[in-house]
Amino acid sequence: SEHHEPIITREIFERANALIRQRGKEKGIVRETGKYQKRFAFSGKIICGVCGSKYKRRIHNSGTEIAWVCSTHITDIRKCPAKYIRDDILKAAFVTMLNKLIFSRKLILKLLYDTLKTDSTDESIQRMQELQRLLEKNSEKKNTLRKLRAQEIINNVMYNQEINILRKAADGYRNELAVLGTYTSAEAYEITELEKLLRFTESAPVVEEFSDALFADFADHIVIYDRDCIEFKLKCGLTLREVL
């Protein structure tokens, strides 16, 4: 028989689309939720300095102007008076901030790097080593107490009293170690991020335009206090204020 190409009628096409939409809903894939919308560099990264909410992206002036607005302000202007700020102004401020770091690399970044490498980390490590030694001595004292009780040199009442004191002290040492471990990890992360920023500023020419990649590499988030003052919180731990 003669071969014919299949013909997709409008009815079949619409039924197929309906089936795809239904399966998407069943799997939780709803286009309107924004799950598959484009993520912008500032998405989820702008914090309102007035109320603490995150900013949302908005289109103003019939699509000609992109701006960021506090989500609380959008919901209820009485709860947060923060005004919107234009996307291009934020991007220009970030470029300015990066160029300042390039020109003042030795004064700001190198000084911070040397301080982090020599002071805080060393002190934390020394304290952690001391706590480890205290835990070892604590364990030795517990073993001694067990031997003394086994030899009936001390009674159970004295043994329990001393053991409880040692256990409480050991818990304190372990808690401090946990805190210092977290703190030291945070410092190590900041040092790594600072090294990355140092390498960039050492070889980078003047930054002429905003880059999503650079923002993602170096910035943790932005805090907006008003249209004239914002802060860039960098991954390396630096907070840099820009007056607009």
Side-chain angles (χ1 to χ4, degrees), residues 95-193:
V95 169
T96 300
M97 184 272 297
L98 271 186
N99 284 326
K100 286 180 180 178
L101 286 179
I102 290 171
F103 287 115
S104 57
R105 177 180 179 274
K106 290 183 179 179
L107 183 63
I108 297 176
L109 299 180
K110 191 65 170 65
L111 183 62
L112 176 62
Y113 179 76
D114 291 341
T115 301
L116 284 175
K117 288 289 284 184
T118 56
D119 295 338
S120 302
T121 303
D122 287 349
E123 290 176 5
S124 298
I125 291 173
Q126 288 173 9
R127 178 57 180 164
M128 289 173 77
Q129 290 172 341
E130 181 184 357
L131 288 167
Q132 291 287 3
R133 287 194 292 269
L134 288 171
L135 278 171
E136 289 173 6
K137 289 181 180 178
N138 186 285
S139 181
E140 290 172 2
K141 289 179 180 178
K142 287 177 185 175
N143 289 333
T144 300
L145 283 171
R146 292 186 185 102
K147 291 176 182 178
L148 291 174
R149 186 186 61 172
Q151 296 170 6
E152 297 184 352
I153 296 175
I154 60 173
N155 58 32
N156 286 336
V157 174
M158 182 177 291
Y159 170 80
N160 289 331
Q161 287 176 343
E162 294 298 321
I163 281 291
N164 286 335
I165 291 171
L166 289 172
R167 283 174 178 167
K168 187 175 180 180
D171 288 342
Y173 299 149
R174 291 191 187 96
N175 288 337
E176 189 177 349
L177 271 171
V179 172
L180 283 172
T182 303
Y183 178 71
T184 305
S185 297
E187 277 193 333
Y189 171 78
E190 289 181 353
I191 289 172
T192 301
E193 292 299 321

Side-chain angles (χ1 to χ4, degrees), residues 11-26:
E11 181 184 357
I12 294 173
F13 181 78
E14 289 178 351
R15 285 170 60 188
N17 270 342
L19 182 60
I20 291 169
R21 285 194 296 269
Q22 180 61 34
R23 287 180 178 173
K25 288 179 182 178
E26 290 171 359

